[in-house]
Amino acid sequence: QVQLVESGGGLVQPGGSLRLSCEVSGNIFSIYGMAWYRRAPGKERELVADCTSEGSTSYADSVKGRFTISRDNAKNTVYLQMNSLKPEDTAVYYCNAAVVTAKGYYSADYWGQGTQVTVSS
């Protein structure tokens, strides 16, 4: 099996910063794309940022210039550095990874349990 464990969420004041981490462990042959999603209360889940295995990144317009996604392939870990946080960034943040568990297999999507980020004064 494959597990994704997130950490780094919490309460922060507007304008502050947080860094989320997500480590993938278990039966891993390779990891393709890794991404961060979020779901705010009463809203649909949205893609925040993603990163290919080669390091190409993309961002939601609402976080461009404030958030940075990165990954350490040696550690099977993806990060989300969040700066200049706003109250509207308040949400549960979920890590996602496309993982191949054995040679010749297709990748499958796996999800973390979510970590709460609250931006409030």
Side-chain angles (χ1 to χ4, degrees):
Q1 277 296 337
V2 175
Q3 299 84 38
L4 277 65
V5 179
E6 299 134 337
S7 60
L11 172 65
V12 63
Q13 292 186 342
S17 298
L18 282 175
R19 188 191 195 208
L20 305 183
S21 300
C22 172
E23 180 179 4
V24 184
S25 63
N27 192 19
I28 302 167
F29 177 75
S30 63
I31 302 175
Y32 290 162
M34 302 182 83
W36 288 95
Y37 288 76
R38 68 186 180 187
R39 177 174 282 156
K43 294 188 176 181
E44 297 288 322
R45 184 180 65 192
E46 66 170 338
L47 175 63
V48 176
D50 60 19
C51 183
T52 69
S53 57
E54 294 81 19
S56 296
T57 59
S58 64
Y59 297 90
D61 287 343
S62 59
V63 307
K64 280 181 181 176
R66 300 188 298 121
F67 290 11
T68 302
I69 188 171
S70 62
R71 61 191 282 175
D72 184 334
N73 292 330
K75 295 181 179 180
N76 293 330
T77 300
V78 63
Y79 305 95
L80 185 68
Q81 178 66 43
M82 304 184 294
N83 298 327
S84 302
L85 282 160
K86 304 175 181 180
E88 51 263 44
D89 294 317
T90 296
V92 178
Y93 285 71
Y94 297 92
C95 174
N96 168 269
V99 180
V100 177
T101 56
K103 185 178 181 179
Y105 280 39
Y106 289 106
S107 66
D109 271 347
Y110 293 87
W111 293 87
Q113 78 286 356
T115 185
Q116 177 70 45
V117 172
T118 302
V119 184
S120 175
S121 55

